[in-house]
Amino acid sequence: MSSVSASHLVIFIASIVVAAGVAGTLVTEVDRVSTSITDQSEGVEERIDTDIEVISDTGSPESIYDAGANELTLYVKNTGTTELQPDSNAVDVLIEGSFTTPESVARADGSGTDRWPPGTVVEVTVAGVDISGETRVTVAVRDNEDAIRFRA
């Protein structure tokens, strides 16, 4: 009888050791998944809180495109709840689907700060572009974009 009890005791201890090992592995993996979900949700929240709107007057195309200087000027308003950076590296411009780097991005109120708080407008200038006819221009900031169409 004692041999049966001893073998049961050994099996019981072995199963406890295996269960502890499995539980430790599961806790580690659940923690990794939880961290990943948290990181992803913060990125999604940032994209949701970021929103822009191109407010240039499409009814007055000469205010958007200066054909003599081959220069495109757009006014973009931060309509989200996140402060952005008025920086040419942070703003993407697509003209008829072709990526173009802005020459300058500056606050339209002339404050000259490196902040673009909600409700403020920046002037995005793209130099050296040749535009004719109906044109679609898209401005993108942090995966949020807005587009306008105008006739040059």
Side-chain angles (χ1 to χ4, degrees), residues 62-86:
E62 62 277 355
S63 69
I64 299 172
Y65 180 65
D66 181 357
N70 285 351
E71 189 173 84
L72 178 75
T73 303
L74 299 168
Y75 291 95
V76 183
K77 184 174 185 176
N78 180 355
T79 57
T81 58
T82 301
E83 185 173 284
L84 303 171
Q85 296 297 317

Side-chain angles (χ1 to χ4, degrees), residues 10-91:
V10 169
I11 291 172
F12 176 72
I13 291 172
S15 62
I16 293 295
V17 169
V18 168
V22 169
T25 302
L26 285 176
V27 166
T28 302
E29 290 306 312
V30 166
D31 184 50
R32 286 182 184 171
V33 169
S34 174
T35 301
S36 175
I37 290 171
T38 300
D39 291 346
Q40 188 176 21
S41 68
E42 287 172 357
V44 168
E45 178 184 6
E46 184 177 296
R47 283 195 302 272
I48 289 171
D49 289 346
T50 303
D51 199 12
I52 60 165
E53 183 177 346
V54 179
I55 59 171
S56 297
D57 183 10
T58 57
S60 179
E62 62 277 355
S63 69
I64 299 172
Y65 180 65
D66 181 357
N70 285 351
E71 189 173 84
L72 178 75
T73 303
L74 299 168
Y75 291 95
V76 183
K77 184 174 185 176
N78 180 355
T79 57
T81 58
T82 301
E83 185 173 284
L84 303 171
Q85 296 297 317
D87 183 312
S88 60
N89 295 325
V91 178

